[in-house]
Amino acid sequence: MSKKYWLSLGLSLSLLMVACSNRENESSDDSMEVSDEQLSEDMDIDIETEEGAASVEQSEPLIGEKVIKSVDVGYETTDFQESIDYIEKTIEKHGAYIEYSNEWNDSADQQYRSKNYTLRVPTESMDAFLDELEGMDAYKENEMISSEDVTQSYRDTEARIKVLGNKEERLNALLEEADSVEAIIQIEDSLSETIAERESLQSIIENYDSLIDYTMVNITLTERSTIANNRGEDRPFLERIQEAFINSAYTFFYFLQNMVVWIVYVLPFTFVIGVIIWIIFIFKKKKQNK
């Protein structure tokens, strides 16, 4: 009786230990699954964070705050003087100024005039200036806008000026404390070099500011007898023939003008040479009669 009791008690304890062991394994498996899921979620969060950071980096502006711009634009016009007046009024209206201008005649077609302007236009008014030029009665051949980012160079120069300013202050302090002529001379030489370098760098900054605040605009205006709305070769054949005929007529007209002017130039020489030839002819004729 006692043996059966102890046997049944041992068997019950064994079953209870096995059951507890299985529960611990299940709980450990569940905890492993949770940790794996959590790890996966963390990785997803990290990936999203990295992608977000990358997108933020890509969205940052590629051009700094210190940018030098320049514009080149060319126009053709049938009314040369009217277009010049329009350009110069637009220059005055937007607070720009003419840095350089030049007018000449085309070497191939002397009847056509051309003029080039190099302007300085306030950068804040540049878009409005270019938009107003669109209202000119002329055909825009080309337009090119270029930019140069000088932010890094500008900041480096500013930092160098600050360092030189601090050095200049220290040298002035040492100069006040110097007690020998030799020390004074050495400090003054170093101070002069520091001031010269600082002023040179300051002039670079001022030049940068001028180029940044005022955009350089090059305008080329060319006179033409006619201007087609479309300069491409896909224009109608009759339109191209008409334009060629008109250009040819203008060329012939100006050729006749140039010919008359040339005759006027050579007329005195022709008269003098004719008189000399006539005198020689008369002299020879008299000599033969004798």
Side-chain angles (χ1 to χ4, degrees), residues 12-75:
S12 299
L13 290 173
S14 300
L15 293 173
L16 182 61
M17 292 176 64
V18 170
C20 291
S21 177
N22 289 334
R23 287 181 181 176
E24 290 177 357
N25 290 334
E26 289 178 358
S27 62
S28 64
D29 291 340
D30 292 339
S31 64
M32 287 294 292
E33 290 177 359
V34 171
S35 62
D36 290 342
E37 291 177 358
Q38 184 66 36
L39 180 60
S40 178
E41 291 177 359
D42 292 341
M43 290 178 65
D44 292 338
I45 292 173
D46 291 339
I47 291 172
E48 290 177 358
T49 304
E50 290 177 358
E51 290 178 351
S55 63
V56 170
E57 290 178 358
Q58 291 179 357
S59 65
E60 291 179 354
L62 298 178
I63 298 180
E65 57 180 353
K66 302 296 182 180
V67 179
I68 298 174
K69 294 183 179 180
S70 62
V71 179
D72 292 276
V73 60
Y75 290 96

Side-chain angles (χ1 to χ4, degrees), residues 110-146:
Q110 291 294 324
Q111 69 274 21
Y112 295 139
R113 293 169 293 174
S114 296
K115 188 162 187 175
N116 174 258
Y117 289 97
T118 299
L119 311 176
R120 291 293 179 179
V121 181
T123 302
E124 58 184 9
S125 304
M126 187 187 69
D127 292 337
F129 177 81
L130 294 177
D131 289 341
E132 187 153 349
L133 284 182
E134 296 291 334
M136 181 171 56
D137 186 15
Y139 172 77
K140 184 167 70 174
E141 279 189 298
N142 56 74
E143 180 179 354
M144 183 178 67
I145 301 176
S146 58

Side-chain angles (χ1 to χ4, degrees), residues 207-233:
N207 184 53
Y208 273 148
D209 288 336
S210 176
L211 295 175
I212 292 167
D213 294 339
Y214 283 83
T215 299
M216 184 176 69
V217 179
N218 291 312
I219 300 176
T220 302
L221 181 68
T222 305
E223 184 182 24
R224 289 287 180 261
S225 57
T226 59
I227 297 177
N229 293 330
N230 186 353
R231 285 288 181 184
E233 296 300 325

